């Protein structure tokens, strides 16, 4: 093994959570740790906009360089839903609108990205892990209406417009779940999904949005899925998927976030 590569892997920063609505001593001790690179917030960390602002200010006061993130996509995956936060639609609704009116769907996607990012940034949250680039095969319960569409071209165009809206409000983006979670039925939060397709099939279908968006994605989150005909490891822990495919073949140079390590 290349010693330099091994050493760099040993010092990758961790994004951790905090326990409640405000920081306690355990939270502060972990945030101060030099290997802490970010804090992810959940619904349990939210009571009101004012409370969220105080929490984010406290985190940034302790570590100005720490990234505060949240899973805030719209639809059923939106952590903050009250006290002035807009209820964002599921991404599938944008795909359905595309089938009726392409231009209207593109505008709606940009508007959604802007509202999503502007509301979070106003409270001190730096990043939302969005957009979902999985294809809507109609088979995955955990993805379901979080996906824009079955057609990778539509997914790419709508995601590009969401990303534009995010950018207008000063937020980066994160495409997930590379190379695609939509074809497997198992929920990776509680099981280990296995995708039996070949590499060429995956690259020519569900991975296409990553190829087409590679220069505009600022970060990517791999899937906790084993693609057994490609590698024995889940994509998020696979040097082949992350280095040989995502970095070298698809020319992605942004940040890579693991999905939740407790899954």
């Amino acid at each position: 093994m290349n010693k330099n590569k091994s050493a760099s892997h040993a010092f990758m920063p961790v994004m951790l959570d905090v326990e409640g609505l405000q920081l306690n001593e355990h939270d502060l001790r972990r945030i101060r740790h030099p290997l802490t690179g970010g804090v992810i917030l959940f619904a349990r960390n939210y009571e009101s906009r004012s409370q969220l602002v105080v929490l984010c200010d406290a985190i940034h006061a302790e570590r100005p360089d720490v990234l505060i993130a949240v899973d805030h996509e719209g639809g059923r995956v939106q952590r903050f839903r009250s006290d002035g936060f807009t209820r964002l639609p599921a991404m599938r609704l944008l795909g359905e609108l595309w089938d009726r009116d392409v231009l209207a769907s593109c505008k709606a996607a940009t508007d959604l990205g802007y509202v999503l990012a502007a509301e979070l940034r106003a409270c001190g949250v730096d990043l939302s892990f969005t957009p979902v680039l999985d294809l809507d095969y109609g088979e995955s319960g955990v993805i379901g209406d979080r996906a824009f569409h079955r057609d990778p071209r539509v997914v790419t165009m709508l995601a590009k417009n969401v990303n534009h809206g995010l950018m207008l409000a000063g937020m980066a983006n994160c495409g997930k779940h590379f190379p695609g979670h939509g074809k497997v039925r198992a929920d990776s939060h509680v099981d280990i999904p296995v995708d039996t397709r070949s590499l060429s099939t995956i690259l020519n279908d569900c991975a296409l949005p990553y190829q087409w968006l590679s220069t505009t994605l600022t970060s990517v989150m791999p899937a906790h899925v084993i693609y057994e005909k490609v590698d024995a490891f889940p994509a998020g822990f696979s040097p082949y998927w992350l280095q040989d495919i995502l970095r070298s073949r698809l020319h992605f140079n942004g940040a890579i976030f693991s999905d939740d390590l407790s899954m």
Side-chain angles (χ1 to χ4, degrees):
M1 178 180 289
N2 181 295
K3 292 184 179 180
N4 291 331
K5 181 181 288 189
S6 178
S8 68
H9 286 179
F11 294 101
M12 286 185 177
V14 172
M15 177 170 280
L16 47 81
D17 60 353
V18 294
E19 293 184 23
L21 299 175
Q22 58 191 13
L23 300 181
N24 59 36
E25 285 303 316
H26 299 293
D27 297 325
L28 290 169
R29 185 178 69 252
R30 292 184 299 155
I31 290 170
R32 291 177 188 134
H33 194 286
L35 290 185
T36 297
V39 173
I40 183 168
L41 302 179
F42 295 94
R44 70 171 185 270
N45 305 122
Y46 180 76
E47 182 178 64
S48 67
R49 290 174 63 89
S50 59
Q51 169 269 324
L52 179 61
V53 169
V54 171
L55 176 60
C56 291
D57 284 350
I59 294 169
H60 281 144
E62 195 65 36
R63 284 281 304 278
D65 58 327
V66 159
L67 187 76
I68 301 178
V70 64
D71 282 321
H72 198 84
E73 305 166 9
R76 57 195 164 95
V77 181
Q78 181 176 343
R79 304 306 185 204
F80 315 140
R81 297 168 176 261
S82 61
D83 195 20
F85 273 98
T86 301
R87 292 291 188 103
L88 301 169
M91 297 302 98
R92 180 185 283 167
L93 295 179
L94 292 176
E96 292 173 351
L97 179 57
W98 173 286
D99 292 334
R100 301 192 303 272
D101 189 330
V102 170
L103 292 179
S105 68
C106 289
K107 183 181 184 303
T110 301
D111 291 346
L112 182 148
Y114 180 81
V115 170
L116 183 159
E119 292 180 350
L120 290 176
R121 296 287 289 132
C123 293
V125 178
D126 303 305
L127 176 69
S128 174
F129 289 118
T130 191
V132 169
L133 300 182
D134 300 313
L135 304 189
D136 187 4
Y137 293 94
E139 298 182 18
S140 174
V142 70
I143 301 301
D145 63 2
R146 297 166 66 192
F148 290 106
H149 206 275
R150 170 63 183 87
D151 189 331
R153 297 168 297 180
V154 178
V155 170
T156 300
M157 291 304 299
L158 289 175
K160 188 173 183 178
N161 281 277
V162 169
N163 290 347
H164 182 60
L166 297 174
M167 181 187 67
L168 291 173
M171 183 175 284
N173 60 70
C174 181
K176 60 185 186 184
H177 308 81
F178 175 79
H181 200 307
K183 189 64 175 174
V184 292
R185 292 182 180 276
D187 181 349
S188 55
H189 294 87
V190 296
D191 204 348
I192 302 178
V194 176
D195 192 321
T196 61
R197 294 175 297 166
S198 68
L199 176 62
S200 61
T201 299
I202 295 168
L203 292 179
N204 289 311
D205 193 19
C206 62
L208 284 173
Y210 296 92
Q211 176 182 330
W212 293 330
L213 293 169
S214 63
T215 59
T216 60
L217 289 174
T218 49
S219 63
V220 162
M221 182 182 291
H224 272 327
V225 176
I226 296 174
Y227 304 87
E228 62 178 11
K229 291 184 179 177
V230 182
D231 194 7
F233 294 102
F237 305 99
S238 167
Y240 181 77
W241 274 115
L242 300 184
Q243 299 301 324
D244 296 358
I245 301 300
L246 185 59
R247 293 290 195 205
S248 298
R249 187 179 299 201
L250 303 185
H251 308 294
F252 172 72
N253 294 315
I256 299 175
F257 290 91
S258 164
D259 208 339
D260 192 337
L261 296 178
S262 66
M263 292 169 66

